[in-house]
Amino acid sequence: MMLWFKALHLIFMVTWFAGLFYLPRLFLYHTLSQDPASLERFTIMERKLFAIMTLGAALTLVFGISLLLSGAYLSGGVPLWLKLKFALLGSLLAYHWHCGRLIRVLRQGKNTHSHIFYRWYNEFPAVILVGIVLLAVFRPS
Ligand code: HEM
């Protein structure tokens, strides 16, 4: 059972990250376009992608919590690598929430960030992904 949880945890994590990697790219193209048809199309694309990636996030969390409950973690104590992972996870959830906010800001035409900002903004999930995968593989205790 636990292996099924792990497989589903990883599958939904990949769908979540597909969105985390692409949505800020859409923000970048959105800020570089001006005609009404493009602006509207980007808003629709952003919203649909955000819905799918939020589902991916929710299911990653559901199966992550299932792993936590089905392992010996709660009785044996949460290991250091998992505590560090939860810290990175917290910042990733904040980033996810902030992406949702940016969709609204861009739709209202109230964007104040340059396309350079979005280029850097785009890199954050990659840093977190590297951190979480290294923690999960090397498991420092
Ligand atoms: C509430 C959120 C999360 C919880 C509670 C959680 C929990 C867990 C637990 C308990 C394990 C260890 C399973 C075992 O004992 O072998 C695990 C493995 C793993 N998780 Fe998560 N996780 C969460 C979110 C994430 C996220 C956001 C990512 C990706 C960035 C991720 C990537 C991984 C990876 C790569 C593994 C290693 C699988 C393996 O051992 O082969 N998890 N998770």
Side-chain angles (χ1 to χ4, degrees), residues 30-122:
H30 194 152
T31 56
L32 293 175
S33 65
Q34 256 140 41
D35 60 299
S38 302
L39 293 175
E40 195 189 328
R41 194 172 305 119
F42 279 123
T43 295
I44 293 170
M45 290 168 76
E46 286 157 11
R47 278 203 186 145
K48 291 199 167 156
L49 184 59
F50 191 68
I52 292 290
M53 65 194 254
T54 301
L55 192 64
L59 291 168
T60 303
L61 299 193
V62 164
F63 290 106
I65 291 166
S66 306
L67 280 169
L68 202 59
L69 298 177
S70 61
Y73 295 110
L74 296 187
S75 52
V78 175
L80 176 68
W81 73 273
L82 260 182
K83 287 187 187 146
L84 294 173
K85 172 175 166 169
F86 292 149
L88 294 181
L89 183 71
S91 70
L92 196 64
L93 288 172
Y95 181 86
H96 185 108
W97 172 83
H98 190 250
C99 283
R101 243 183 70 109
L102 284 175
I103 294 175
R104 240 174 304 132
V105 169
L106 282 162
R107 190 194 60 206
Q108 293 165 348
K110 292 185 184 157
N111 175 48
T112 53
H113 300 300
S114 69
H115 62 99
I116 309 287
F117 168 85
Y118 288 106
R119 279 179 212 279
W120 284 106
Y121 186 76
N122 201 4

Side-chain angles (χ1 to χ4, degrees), residues 1-8 63 66-67 70:
M1 194 63 172
M2 190 168 170
L3 290 178
W4 278 106
F5 288 156
K6 190 177 284 194
L8 290 163
F63 290 106
S66 306
L67 280 169
S70 61

Side-chain angles (χ1 to χ4, degrees), residues 10-20 49 52-53 55-57 60:
L10 296 179
I11 288 165
F12 289 115
M13 181 271 270
V14 172
T15 65
W16 183 16
F17 271 87
L20 286 171
L49 184 59
I52 292 290
M53 65 194 254
L55 192 64
T60 303

Side-chain angles (χ1 to χ4, degrees), residues 116-135:
I116 309 287
F117 168 85
Y118 288 106
R119 279 179 212 279
W120 284 106
Y121 186 76
N122 201 4
E123 304 303 329
F124 185 76
V127 174
I128 300 296
L129 178 65
V130 169
I132 293 184
V133 169
L134 291 181
L135 286 173

